[in-house]
């Protein structure tokens, strides 16, 4: 009985230590309305993985971690462009796309976007069909598992299933739906080199799927047009080895050919012929095809149609001579069976129409570097805009910031009249982030948008992550990734830098569900580089204390700036000169005691970076003290972090790249008369290929907690360590080769570890917390 009650007590502790808003049964918070749903890590990258290759022998035992993507970059893939635009019977356009997740966006007075499938690395090659009840059916690729997936909202909320999982299938899809809301699919089987056709009846896949490409290998593009599962038409691109050189070939196959799915050659030419193409059906189910033709010394777009299902083709002319094939084209037929073609030519998106005797063209978007991979749809007869075209396409004006754009002809005039509507934008986020525990006890995060050059704030509230709020939105210039954030006195504050040498300061105050971010105050207008030599703390009253460098030439001077509540003004205290400040990220870290002592650790460059410490107390700066041994035994890099114990003594964690790469800790200790630093550091971890940007905090038991990224054997590990004297306990939080180098650690009021970090490959911001805070007995290593 005693044993039972002992275990009951432990269980109650575990439940009490779960993150706020999360139950023991559901460790992941529910999806917030209008927000990206939290994503549970797949099993292969969670704490269940055996990390046997870790050099320090780290163990996956102990409390697991929950990891969420709390802001992410939307992927736009050219391969996902085919037929991602449809218009329902009420005249509402719908677009599906993805790559990181599967997205659906639609217009209903404004653009709305939802995450259909929040799994990781899904949504590329998305295709869309709308049934006679205006319900959506989406086929798409799961790149992580190499599966074909299907999603529909025909039965209420989104229903998602994996259709085919044998081999690598779905890297190319097209979908139709019959009058009974049953979908049918064409998809690529990359493992066996076939195009396949499958139908789903009453939720069950009819077996087996059919091979529709015969013995011909489909090399790239394909497109489907259909009226029902018995009237399906497909074109596909193939490459033929003609002996002296490769040739491109465009094929047609159908359920209506003399032999079901018999491929017919439409055209051949140089290797790029047929690489871009589209297909549509007229009122008699005759196929119409537009494609790029490569004529060895010239290229053009050609138009054909067939009245006998591919046995022979009628040539309707060619247009757009040039030297480069378009980056995508799309075809639609109106009620008179006349074609409209969307095609990019010379970086401009054009609309081509056939009058019955000649082709004519007008620009859809005359901007430069736009119109990539267009999709086209015509308004249905049930709409007031009947017969007019709408276009969705990619726009890449800066060569890196990809937009999903939309434009249409509405009742004879272009809408929007001033240019295309921006539907969605790719944003890399989270390369620089700060994890905070807000005054409400919940996780707060400040992070960067690499593409937008903005700063954002999110918090975990009422069981979900809130929408991102922009920091410094009144500032029109470019904001750097570099920032420092802190919590105190019921609020958070942020200092951040800009490319035109400004240092700005904002506060964040939350009441209930509402958070207010103040207008940014200009602290400095001629900020000395490096711009990342900044840090900030708040006291218990919310008053800010910051350090940064001033001076237009070397040496630069350390400035301590704080707000004096008595005078309602900023006070500056000029500190030591630094002849060669480090240019690595996070080269300075500060903490302040309740008694007003400011502790500063910073990196100074000589032959390589060295570690220095200085403090400010009772209006006086101490002499800078070098924490390293000597110039031959020190190579500090990749950032530093300071934390204070309950006695107010600082500890500094840093990375030493001299000799054996390792992450070190130095703790100052004070007697009645003297404070001393140890001569030799305490080695926290060693033996990895690299250790990156540590983040150090101290818990209420004076145990150090540390997060950092470790590179080893071409992998990136997010590590978490608890240190008590010479004892260390490691936790492997996350393993991913594309992990970014940054992490930021904070503790909840009950001591639960919370880490913000980034996925550098996908450009996403991730957040990890311990599900429970129950450490096993300390183990010496």
């Amino acid at each position: 009985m005693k044993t039972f009650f002992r275990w009951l007590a432990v269980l109650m502790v575990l439940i009490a230590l779960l993150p706020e808003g999360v139950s023991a049964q559901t460790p992941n918070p529910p999806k917030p309305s209008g927000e990206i749903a939290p994503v549970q890590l797949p099993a292969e990258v969670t704490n269940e993985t055996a990390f046997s290759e870790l050099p320090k022998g780290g163990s996956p035992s102990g409390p697991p971690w929950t990891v969420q993507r709390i802001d992410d970059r939307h992927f736009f893939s050219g391969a996902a462009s085919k037929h991602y635009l449809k218009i329902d019977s009420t005249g509402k356009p719908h677009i599906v796309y993805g790559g990181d997740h599967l997205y659906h966006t639609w217009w209903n007075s404004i653009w709305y976007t939802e995450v259909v499938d929040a799994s990781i690395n899904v949504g590329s090659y998305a295709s869309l069909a709308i049934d006679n009840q205006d319900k959506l059916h989406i086929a798409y690729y799961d790149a992580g598992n190499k599966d074909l997936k299907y999603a529909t909202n025909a039965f209420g909320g989104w229903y998602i299933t994996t259709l085919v999982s044998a081999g690598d299938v779905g890297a190319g899809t097209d979908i139709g739906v019959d009058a009974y809301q049953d979908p049918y699919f064409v998809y690529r089987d990359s493992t066996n080199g076939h195009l396949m056709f499958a139908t789903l009846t009453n939720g069950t896949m009819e077996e087996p799927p059919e091979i529709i490409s015969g013995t011909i290998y489909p090399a790239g593009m394909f497109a489907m047009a259909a009226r029902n599962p018995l009237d399906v038409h497909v074109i596909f691109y193939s490459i033929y080895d003609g002996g002296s050189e490769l040739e491109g070939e465009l094929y047609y196959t159908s359920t209506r050919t003399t032999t079901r799915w018999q491929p017919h050659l439409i055209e051949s030419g140089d290797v790029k012929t047929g690489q871009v193409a589209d297909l549509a059906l007229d009122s008699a189910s005759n196929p119409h095809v537009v494609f790029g033709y490569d004529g060895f010394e010239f290229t053009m777009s050609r138009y054909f149609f067939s009245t006998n299902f591919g046995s022979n083709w009628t040539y309707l002319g060619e247009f757009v001579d040039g030297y480069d094939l378009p980056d995508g084209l799309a075809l639609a037929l109106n009620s008179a069976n006349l074609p409209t073609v969307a095609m990019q030519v010379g970086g401009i998106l054009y609309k081509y129409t056939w009058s019955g005797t000649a082709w004519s063209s007008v620009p859809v978007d005359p901007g430069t570097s736009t119109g990539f991979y267009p999709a086209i749809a015509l308004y249905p007869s049930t709409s007031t805009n009947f017969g007019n075209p709408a276009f969705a396409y990619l726009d890449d004006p800066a060569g890196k910031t990809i937009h999903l754009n939309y434009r249409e002809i509405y009742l004879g005039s272009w809408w929007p009249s001033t240019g295309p509507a921006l539907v969605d934008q790719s944003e890399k986020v989270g390369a620089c982030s700060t994890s905070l525990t807000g005054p409400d006890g919940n996780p707060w995060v400040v992070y960067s948008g690499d593409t937008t050059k903005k700063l954002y704030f999110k918090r975990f509230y009422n069981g979900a992550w809130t929408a991102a709020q922009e920091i410094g939105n009144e500032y029109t210039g470019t904001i750097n990734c570099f920032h420092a954030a802190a919590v105190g006195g019921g609020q958070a504050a942020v200092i951040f830098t800009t490319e035109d040498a400004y240092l700005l300061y904002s506060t964040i105050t939350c009441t209930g569900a509402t958070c207010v971010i103040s207008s940014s105050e200009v602290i400095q207008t001629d900020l000395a580089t490096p711009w990342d030599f900044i840090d900030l703390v708040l006291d218990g009253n919310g008053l800010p204390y910051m350090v940064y460098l001033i001076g237009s030439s070397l040496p630069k001077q350390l400035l301590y700036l704080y707000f004096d509540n008595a005078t309602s003004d900023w006070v500056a205290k000029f500190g030591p000169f630094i002849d060669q400040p480090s240019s690595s990220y996070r080269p300075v870290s500060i903490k302040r005691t309740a008694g007003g002592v400011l502790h500063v650790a910073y990196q100074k460059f000589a032959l390589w970076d060295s570690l220095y410490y200085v403090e400010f107390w009772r209006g006086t700066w101490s002499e800078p003290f070098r924490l390293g041994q000597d110039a031959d035994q020190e190579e500090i890099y990749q950032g530093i972090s300071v934390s204070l114990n309950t006695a107010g003594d600082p500890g500094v964690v840093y990375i030493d790249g001299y000799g054996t790469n390792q992450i070190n800790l130095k703790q100052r200790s004070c007697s009645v008369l003297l404070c001393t630093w140890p001569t030799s550091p305490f080695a926290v971890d060693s033996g990895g290929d690299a250790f990156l940007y540590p983040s150090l905090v101290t818990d209420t038991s004076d145990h150090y907690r540390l997060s950092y990224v470790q590179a080893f054997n071409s992998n990136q590990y997010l590590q978490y360590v608890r240190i008590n004297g010479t004892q260390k306990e490691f936790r492997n939080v996350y393993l991913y080769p594309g992990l970014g180098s940054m992490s930021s650690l904070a503790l909840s009021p009950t001591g639960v570890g919370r880490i913000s970090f980034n996925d550098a490959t996908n450009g996403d911001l991730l957040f990890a917390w311990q599900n429970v805070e129950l450490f096993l007995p300390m183990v010496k290593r």
Side-chain angles (χ1 to χ4, degrees):
M1 184 61 70
K2 290 181 179 179
T3 301
F4 170 79
F5 283 110
R6 183 179 299 116
W7 280 108
L8 180 61
V10 171
L11 178 61
M12 293 177 67
V13 170
L14 297 182
I15 295 174
L17 291 173
L18 286 170
E20 294 75 1
V22 182
S23 69
Q25 288 76 24
T26 56
N28 286 327
K31 175 183 176 181
S33 176
E35 284 295 296
I36 294 173
V39 178
Q40 178 67 44
L41 287 179
E44 66 268 22
V45 292
T46 65
N47 223 64
E48 300 304 316
T49 303
F51 292 86
S52 57
E53 70 270 36
L54 281 177
K56 60 180 171 298
S59 169
S61 63
W65 288 76
T66 295
V67 177
Q68 299 175 347
R69 294 176 185 254
I70 65 172
D71 206 349
D72 61 6
R73 175 191 186 191
H74 295 186
F75 282 175
F76 298 95
S77 169
S81 65
K82 179 69 182 88
H83 287 171
Y84 59 49
L85 170 66
K86 296 287 185 181
I87 298 175
D88 67 23
S89 65
T90 66
K92 295 184 180 68
H94 298 259
I95 308 172
V96 295
Y97 56 98
D100 53 350
H101 311 303
L102 175 64
Y103 300 94
H104 164 227
T105 189
W106 71 100
W107 172 264
N108 188 13
S109 299
I110 62 172
W111 286 106
Y112 294 90
T113 299
E114 64 179 332
V115 179
V116 176
D117 188 344
S119 304
I120 300 172
N121 296 329
V122 302
S124 58
Y125 301 95
S127 57
L128 171 66
I130 302 179
D131 65 28
N132 53 17
Q133 302 298 314
D134 280 337
K135 299 299 184 181
L136 275 58
H137 303 257
I138 308 171
Y140 58 102
Y141 185 47
D142 178 347
N145 297 303
K146 301 186 184 304
D147 294 341
L148 172 66
K149 298 190 76 174
Y150 166 68
T152 183
N153 62 0
F155 312 106
W158 284 105
Y159 167 77
I160 298 172
T161 187
T162 298
L163 289 178
V164 186
S165 59
D168 185 355
V169 291
T173 70
D174 221 330
I175 186 172
V177 61
D178 65 17
Y180 304 99
Q181 295 182 298
D182 287 329
Y184 46 95
F185 311 85
V186 172
Y187 65 92
R188 182 183 306 284
D189 179 348
S190 300
T191 300
N192 298 302
H194 298 308
L195 283 184
M196 310 296 294
F197 177 76
T199 58
L200 198 65
T201 304
N202 294 325
T204 301
M205 179 78 79
E206 294 189 3
E207 295 289 353
E210 298 176 82
I211 298 174
I212 66 175
S213 51
T215 59
I216 300 168
Y217 179 77
M221 183 285 316
F222 72 88
M224 178 185 81
R227 304 222 177 267
N228 57 61
L230 300 178
D231 191 5
V232 181
H233 307 253
V234 178
I235 59 172
F236 64 93
Y237 167 68
S238 183
I239 297 176
Y240 171 70
D241 185 357
S244 60
E245 57 189 358
L246 294 178
E247 295 183 7
E249 299 177 320
L250 183 64
Y251 283 89
Y252 165 85
T253 187
S254 172
T255 58
R256 304 286 296 275
T257 51
T258 304
T259 301
R260 180 180 171 95
W261 300 125
Q262 177 186 1
H264 289 279
L265 179 66
I266 300 175
E267 182 71 288
S268 64
D270 204 359
V271 66
K272 293 182 180 180
T273 295
Q275 197 174 62
V276 289
D278 202 8
L279 168 71
L281 300 181
D282 64 23
S283 56
S285 285
N286 294 317
H288 293 238
V289 179
V290 62
F291 63 96
Y293 176 77
D294 185 354
F296 301 95
E297 294 182 357
F298 59 93
T299 61
M300 64 186 69
S301 295
R302 288 185 168 180
Y303 189 92
F304 287 85
F305 69 93
S306 175
T307 56
N308 53 13
F309 307 117
S311 294
N312 53 63
W313 294 85
T314 299
Y315 178 52
L316 198 60
E318 58 194 34
F319 49 96
V320 194
D321 292 352
Y323 294 98
D324 295 308
L325 289 175
D327 285 320
L329 49 76
L331 169 67
L333 299 179
N334 66 14
S335 58
N337 295 325
L338 296 177
T340 298
V341 178
M343 184 166 60
Q344 185 214 51
V345 180
I348 298 174
L349 180 62
Y350 287 91
K351 174 179 73 76
Y352 292 86
T353 54
W354 173 257
S355 65
T357 58
W359 289 97
S360 61
S361 66
V362 294
V364 175
D365 187 344
T368 59
S369 188
T370 191
F372 295 96
Y373 307 105
I376 187 173
L378 302 183
Y379 273 86
S381 59
T382 53
S383 165
T384 56
N385 202 27
F386 172 52
N388 284 322
F391 307 86
Y393 55 95
L394 301 186
D395 180 19
D396 188 9
K400 62 178 181 179
T401 305
I402 302 176
H403 300 168
L404 175 60
N405 284 357
Y406 177 87
R407 205 170 192 204
E408 68 182 45
I409 296 178
Y410 186 75
L411 300 180
S413 300
W414 282 108
W415 178 88
S417 59
T418 56
L422 171 60
V423 178
D424 203 347
Q425 179 179 355
S426 172
E427 297 177 358
K428 278 205 166 188
V429 296
C432 299
S433 68
T434 301
S435 176
L436 304 169
T437 293
D440 57 3
N442 285 318
W444 292 19
V445 181
V446 175
Y447 62 98
S448 66
D450 294 3
T451 302
T452 60
K453 301 297 184 182
K454 301 292 185 182
L455 283 180
Y456 301 98
F457 165 72
K458 278 195 175 192
R459 65 171 177 147
F460 191 78
Y461 176 76
N462 199 25
W465 288 101
T466 60
Q469 292 180 254
E470 187 178 331
I471 300 170
N473 59 1
E474 73 286 344
Y475 178 74
T476 58
T478 299
I479 296 176
N480 290 318
C481 177
F482 312 124
H483 70 273
V487 169
Q491 68 177 15
V494 185
I495 56 173
F496 54 98
T497 63
T498 70
E499 288 192 0
D500 54 357
Y502 276 51
L503 178 66
L504 302 176
Y505 172 79
S506 290
T507 60
I508 305 168
T509 305
C510 298
T511 304
T514 303
C515 291
V516 176
I517 300 176
S518 69
S519 296
S520 300
E521 179 179 354
V522 177
I523 300 298
Q524 189 84 25
T525 59
D526 54 350
L527 185 68
T529 55
W531 298 320
D532 57 342
F533 210 102
I534 59 174
D535 204 5
L536 168 76
V537 294
L538 300 184
D539 66 14
N541 297 314
L543 297 177
Y545 303 81
M546 66 184 76
V547 296
Y548 58 95
L549 289 180
I550 60 172
S552 58
S553 60
L554 294 176
K556 299 181 185 296
Q557 192 170 17
L558 186 68
L559 179 66
Y560 176 32
L561 187 70
Y562 61 90
F563 191 83
D564 189 336
N565 208 29
T567 62
S568 298
D569 200 2
W570 293 96
V571 178
K573 300 293 183 180
F574 294 92
F577 285 92
I578 304 175
D579 51 0
Q580 291 282 351
S582 171
S583 58
S584 69
Y585 185 69
R586 275 198 330 213
V588 63
S589 180
I590 67 173
K591 289 294 183 291
R592 183 180 180 274
T593 68
V597 182
L598 184 75
H599 300 270
V600 184
Y602 62 92
Q603 293 173 231
K604 173 183 170 182
F605 181 78
L607 182 59
W608 40 63
D609 278 6
S610 299
L611 183 62
Y612 282 80
Y613 165 81
V614 65
E615 70 178 26
F616 182 85
W617 187 36
R618 294 180 178 176
T620 303
W621 286 97
S622 68
E623 286 295 322
F625 176 73
R626 185 172 181 177
L627 294 181
Q629 297 178 10
D630 56 63
D632 295 330
Q633 298 294 323
E634 186 180 43
E635 187 179 351
I636 311 301
Y637 74 112
Q638 302 288 25
I640 57 179
S641 186
V642 172
S643 187
L644 304 179
N645 62 18
T646 53
D649 288 322
V652 183
V653 67
Y654 61 97
I655 297 163
D656 189 346
Y658 181 83
T660 302
N661 188 287
Q662 64 184 32
I663 187 166
N664 290 336
L665 172 67
K666 282 198 171 184
Q667 169 67 59
R668 192 185 75 170
S669 60
C670 294
S671 63
V672 177
L673 299 177
L674 185 65
C675 292
T676 59
W677 292 89
T679 302
S680 299
F682 173 66
V684 177
D685 201 353
S686 61
D689 298 333
F691 300 97
L692 308 169
Y693 301 116
S695 181
L696 183 70
V697 297
T698 310
D699 63 22
T700 56
S701 300
D702 266 356
H703 297 154
Y704 283 120
R705 311 290 186 88
L706 177 64
S707 72
Y708 54 95
V709 174
Q710 177 183 9
F712 183 71
N713 284 349
S714 300
N715 274 319
Q716 301 278 83
Y717 299 83
L718 178 63
Q719 301 285 15
Y720 176 73
V721 187
R722 187 175 75 157
I723 303 170
N724 181 14
T726 60
Q727 296 177 318
K728 299 173 288 185
E729 187 175 11
F730 293 88
R731 292 289 180 265
N732 303 300
V733 178
Y734 193 72
L735 162 64
Y736 177 52
L739 198 65
S741 59
M742 296 298 304
S743 73
S744 179
L745 171 66
L747 299 181
S748 76
T750 55
V752 173
R754 297 164 169 174
I755 306 174
S756 64
F757 60 105
N758 75 303
D759 173 349
T761 299
N762 297 316
D764 296 352
L765 174 65
L766 290 85
F767 188 84
W769 62 50
Q770 286 179 287
N771 293 345
V772 291
E773 176 66 6
L774 178 64
F775 277 91
L776 301 176
M778 285 287 188
V779 178
K780 289 185 178 181
R781 298 189 187 275

